[in-house]
Amino acid sequence: MKANRPSAPTLRDIAEAVGVHTTTVSRALNPRTQNQVGADTVRRVRKAAKDLGYQPNPIALSLRTSRSRTVGLVIPDITNPLFPPIVRGIESALEAGGYSGWIVNTDNDPQRERKLIESLRSRQVEGLIVATARLEHPLLAELHAAGVPLVLVNRRVEGIDVPCVTADDAAGVSAAVAHLAGLGHTRIAHLAGPQTTSTGAARARAFRHAVRDLGLSDEPGLVVECAQWSEEAGASAARSLLDARTDVTAVVAGNDLIALGCYDVFGERGIDCPGDISVVGFNDMPFLDKLRPPLTTVHVPHHDVGVEAARMLLDGIEDPERPARSMLLPVSLVVRGSTAPR
Amino acid sequence: MKANRPSAPTLRDIAEAVGVHTTTVSRALNPRTQNQVGADTVRRVRKAAKDLGYQPNPIALSLRTSRSRTVGLVIPDITNPLFPPIVRGIESALEAGGYSGWIVNTDNDPQRERKLIESLRSRQVEGLIVATARLEHPLLAELHAAGVPLVLVNRRVEGIDVPCVTADDAAGVSAAVAHLAGLGHTRIAHLAGPQTTSTGAARARAFRHAVRDLGLSDEPGLVVECAQWSEEAGASAARSLLDARTDVTAVVAGNDLIALGCYDVFGERGIDCPGDISVVGFNDMPFLDKLRPPLTTVHVPHHDVGVEAARMLLDGIEDPERPARSMLLPVSLVVRGSTAPR
DNA sequence: TTGTACGCGTTATCAC
DNA sequence: GTGATAACGCGTACAA
């Protein structure tokens, strides 16, 4: 910031005020080293520090120690309503641990992602929470191999042993399918998320298992993959589904945005939801209860996802040898107005 | 991060590789000083830098220069759907200027805000974009007096001359009222945002002017203040409004969240919207078009708000003497299903 | 045109 | 228990 404020007091200022060496001040102020210095000196130093309003300079500290008490948050797009609650959870847990987070948006562009992560590393972030993982993700493998503490949220990566925090996708999809089956639906479709993401693949797999277990139709045509986790991609997949099959009475969408894409197509084609077709989403984004119709969906505890991810990362930073444990957070079906009996 | 990667190359490494002094390398790499060094040396240095994959260390640079190419974003809560698009706009403009942004959430807690801003300053952020401003805001006045480059988004502060980027609240409210009047409504109420914020005050004032100009009822009872810009506060204000007046046929809400609060109360009391009462929001948050009913609202170009704010801040950082210019961004009424003829 | 010397604020490592 | 010194990576007067 501007320099025309009286520049912040440093260790040296305190040292002069107290009449000791800067080293002594440093030790007196550092909880880990204050036993190396006389109790009385500690008192005087701390008092002077308080009086002068001393604040340690994180830049200098970072330069000296190569640590920053900061972690990077790698998000595809903060504009996606899924992420703000997760970020909020992450930040509250980081704050509790004395850390803070630096957010970057990758726009799902691998080049951009690489650049941004490079810049985070040069800022000495001590670890990364990554929400952009794809099943094949060489960059993450590199980072992992380089020993960078890493936690994945909402995603997994194949072949590397990195801790991750995800929702229980299989349970969520099962609950959704069971709910629809209970309502009498027998030809249920799945608008799957991108199969390049672990989440997309896991939910699609869970869907196939669920319909088979319940003895429902499991023809391949009932699963359509969306190119993105977006409303547009969901709409376009919904169009191809409905063009190919006229007998579908219920849809399990890969996530809420994809479900919104269905709503768009229903509007275009005059399809009544839930009268003609029922829809279930996934995630329970904010405000779904106020949609027309209110969207039945699978609730994911996003704040908790963030909290757990941050805790895991801090644990990993503290003890790099700690084995990578993953965490599956429980989900719950929230029944609203977009599902109805057949 | 972990140190077990081959630590990043420094000026010294390049100097050794090329066989010159680090100073020379520094000068050769710095566009501003590279004319002080032989053209051939520049070439060799740059080549070596590229070969070694040299990246300047922002920490060391920051320590040396007291600059960080970083600005702070002070947001009440990133979870409010209003902010992500603004943040996105800010970041894209910052990136274009070679800067990046550090986001903090204040939770509207002044103590917390003070602490967080202190921490941002100690990280040498070069300026602040603030979305938490209240009309009375001593902290901001202090910062301004201290010469900290500041830009306000969505808000103004009284008594200090700080640049701000806001939507044209008056025009938006006028358009909303005119729209309702055109539909035949004569008793229009306003659920105002907190009058401690410039936005709340400006919209309330604009509302009074608009109803008076159109010759509609302007009894004081038709304006109710909400304690917060939130769905809950909106609902509670809507309840007191409807308890006191049974003749209201239309509501201009202070923002979309307050409008959602109205929806809640309509649900509780079996009021049909827009059949019994019409509602207009403000902001055009994402997904309002899918509500039940789709919310008529005033569209604010949030991304542009962010872009302009960031540009203004960078201008102010570059030239601290530049006079504080404010910017009013045009808004437009988006008519959807929550408003109907009387 | 290039090199020397020093400082930014902090901590690690010796010495006393 | 305390002090002196060096070092982190970089920029900049000043000297050569």
Side-chain angles (χ1 to χ4, degrees), chain A residues 185-236:
Chain A
H185 295 274
T186 53
R187 284 178 311 280
I188 307 175
H190 179 45
L191 294 182
Q195 297 297 297
T196 51
T197 63
S198 64
T199 315
R203 293 183 190 164
R205 194 180 323 116
F207 175 80
R208 286 190 214 95
H209 288 165
V211 289
R212 206 170 309 148
D213 288 352
L214 291 169
L216 307 177
S217 168
D218 65 344
E219 305 161 40
L222 287 174
V223 177
V224 178
E225 179 182 354
C226 303
Q228 306 281 341
W229 292 103
S230 69
E231 187 176 346
E232 295 71 27
S236 129

Side-chain angles (χ1 to χ4, degrees), chain B residues 198-211:
Chain B
S198 64
T199 315
R203 292 182 191 165
R205 194 179 323 116
F207 176 80
R208 287 190 213 94
H209 287 166
V211 289

Side-chain angles (χ1 to χ4, degrees), chain A residues 1-2 4-5 55-60 62-63 66 68-70 76-79 81 84-85 87-88 91 95 100-103 105 107 112 118 121-128 146-149 231 257 260 263-264 285 287 290-294 320, chain B residues 1-2 4-5 55-60 62-63 66 68-70 76-79 81 84-85 87-88 91 95 100-103 105 107 112 118 121-128 146-149 231 257 260 263-264 285 287 290-294 320:
Chain A
M1 290 220 189
K2 263 303 258 322
N4 76 1
R5 55 171 167 160
Q55 294 288 116
N57 182 326
I59 306 277
S62 208
L63 179 61
S66 301
S68 62
R69 303 234 127 207
T70 290
D77 179 7
I78 190 67
T79 275
V87 167
R88 209 67 178 76
E91 294 202 325
E95 186 180 9
S100 54
W102 187 286
I103 305 173
N105 289 287
D107 295 339
R112 212 177 133 70
E118 202 44 65
R121 296 193 73 187
S122 72
R123 287 195 152 88
Q124 316 271 39
V125 300
E126 296 179 31
L128 256 27
V148 176
E231 187 176 346
L257 291 174
L260 290 186
Y263 277 29
D264 292 335
M285 296 182 348
F287 307 119
K290 299 201 172 47
L291 296 189
R292 169 169 55 189
Chain B
M1 293 221 186
K2 265 302 258 325
N4 77 0
R5 56 169 167 158
Q55 295 288 114
N57 181 326
I59 306 275
S62 207
L63 181 60
S66 299
S68 61
R69 302 234 127 208
T70 290
D77 179 6
I78 191 67
T79 275
V87 167
R88 210 67 179 75
E91 294 202 325
E95 186 181 9
S100 56
W102 188 286
I103 304 173
N105 289 287
D107 294 339
R112 213 178 131 70
E118 203 44 66
R121 296 193 72 188
S122 72
R123 288 193 150 89
Q124 316 272 38
V125 300
E126 296 178 32
L128 255 29
V148 176
E231 186 175 347
L257 290 174
L260 290 186
Y263 277 28
D264 292 336
M285 299 182 345
F287 306 119
K290 299 201 172 46
L291 295 189
R292 169 168 58 189

Side-chain angles (χ1 to χ4, degrees), chain A:
Chain A
M1 290 220 189
K2 263 303 258 322
N4 76 1
R5 55 171 167 160
S7 55
T10 70
L11 287 185
R12 183 146 46 239
D13 298 323
I14 302 180
E16 281 172 16
V18 179
V20 295
H21 200 266
T22 55
T23 307
T24 307
V25 177
S26 168
R27 283 195 280 245
L29 259 27
N30 187 328
R32 217 184 56 250
T33 51
Q34 67 168 299
N35 50 356
Q36 305 173 17
V37 48
D40 184 58
T41 316
V42 169
R43 264 200 330 93
R44 284 158 53 221
V45 166
R46 307 219 124 170
K47 170 153 174 33
K50 175 160 263 178
D51 290 349
L52 295 177
Y54 170 77
Q55 294 288 116
N57 182 326
I59 306 277
L61 200 151
S62 208
L63 179 61
R64 186 65 186 88
T65 61
S66 301
R67 300 190 54 180
S68 62
R69 303 234 127 207
T70 290
V71 307
L73 313 184
V74 185
I75 308 278
D77 179 7
I78 190 67
T79 275
N80 181 332
L82 178 62
F83 295 114
I86 297 181
V87 167
R88 209 67 178 76
I90 291 175
E91 294 202 325
S92 65
L94 287 181
E95 186 180 9
Y99 275 69
S100 54
W102 187 286
I103 305 173
V104 297
N105 289 287
T106 68
D107 295 339
N108 281 314
D109 172 352
Q111 293 248 350
R112 212 177 133 70
E113 179 176 53
R114 189 173 279 272
K115 265 197 125 71
L116 289 168
I117 289 185
E118 202 44 65
S119 116
L120 287 171
R121 296 193 73 187
S122 72
R123 287 195 152 88
Q124 316 271 39
V125 300
E126 296 179 31
L128 256 27
I129 296 180
V130 180
T132 56
R134 293 170 293 283
L135 278 173
E136 296 277 336
H137 211 133
L139 174 55
L140 291 184
E142 280 173 38
L143 292 170
H144 179 61
V148 176
L150 233 46
V151 172
L152 274 33
V153 286
N154 261 7
R155 296 276 192 280
R156 299 161 179 282
V157 170
E158 274 175 356
I160 63 177
D161 188 31
V162 170
C164 39
V165 179
T166 57
D168 191 340
D169 292 313
V173 170
S174 293
V177 173
H179 167 64
L180 292 170
L183 291 172
H185 295 274
T186 53
R187 284 178 311 280
I188 307 175
H190 179 45
L191 294 182
Q195 297 297 297
T196 51
T197 63
S198 64
T199 315
R203 293 183 190 164
R205 194 180 323 116
F207 175 80
R208 286 190 214 95
H209 288 165
V211 289
R212 206 170 309 148
D213 288 352
L214 291 169
L216 307 177
S217 168
D218 65 344
E219 305 161 40
L222 287 174
V223 177
V224 178
E225 179 182 354
C226 303
Q228 306 281 341
W229 292 103
S230 69
E231 187 176 346
E232 295 71 27
S236 129
R239 281 187 208 102
S240 33
L241 173 70
L242 296 179
D243 287 344
R245 317 258 325 193
T246 53
D247 57 344
V248 169
T249 64
V251 172
V252 174
N255 74 355
D256 294 332
L257 291 174
I258 291 175
L260 290 186
C262 291
Y263 277 29
D264 292 335
V265 175
F266 294 164
E268 289 165 17
R269 307 196 170 183
I271 296 172
D272 177 49
C273 171
D276 299 327
I277 302 188
S278 292
V279 177
V280 183
F282 207 113
N283 276 340
D284 199 17
M285 296 182 348
F287 307 119
L288 291 182
D289 55 321
K290 299 201 172 47
L291 296 189
R292 169 169 55 189
L295 183 65
T296 296
T297 188
V298 176
H299 177 78
V300 174
H302 292 115
H303 191 270
D304 295 347
V305 168
V307 169
E308 296 301 340
R311 286 204 188 128
M312 240 179 216
L313 184 61
L314 295 188
D315 287 348
I317 289 171
E318 203 164 304
D319 174 14
E321 304 310 323
R322 177 186 293 255
R325 296 199 315 109
S326 285
M327 188 172 270
L328 215 57
L329 264 47
V331 299
S332 54
L333 186 70
V334 182
V335 177
R336 300 204 180 95
S338 66
T339 47
R342 172 80 196 117

Side-chain angles (χ1 to χ4, degrees), chain A residues 78-79 105, chain B residues 73-76 78 80-94 103 129-131 152-155 165-167 283 300-310 329:
Chain A
I78 190 67
T79 275
N105 289 287
Chain B
L73 311 184
V74 185
I75 308 278
I78 191 67
N80 181 332
L82 178 61
F83 294 114
I86 296 181
V87 167
R88 210 67 179 75
I90 290 174
E91 294 202 325
S92 65
L94 287 181
I103 304 173
I129 295 180
V130 180
L152 274 32
V153 285
N154 261 7
R155 295 277 192 280
V165 179
T166 57
N283 276 341
V300 173
H302 293 113
H303 190 271
D304 295 348
V305 168
V307 169
E308 296 300 340
L329 264 46

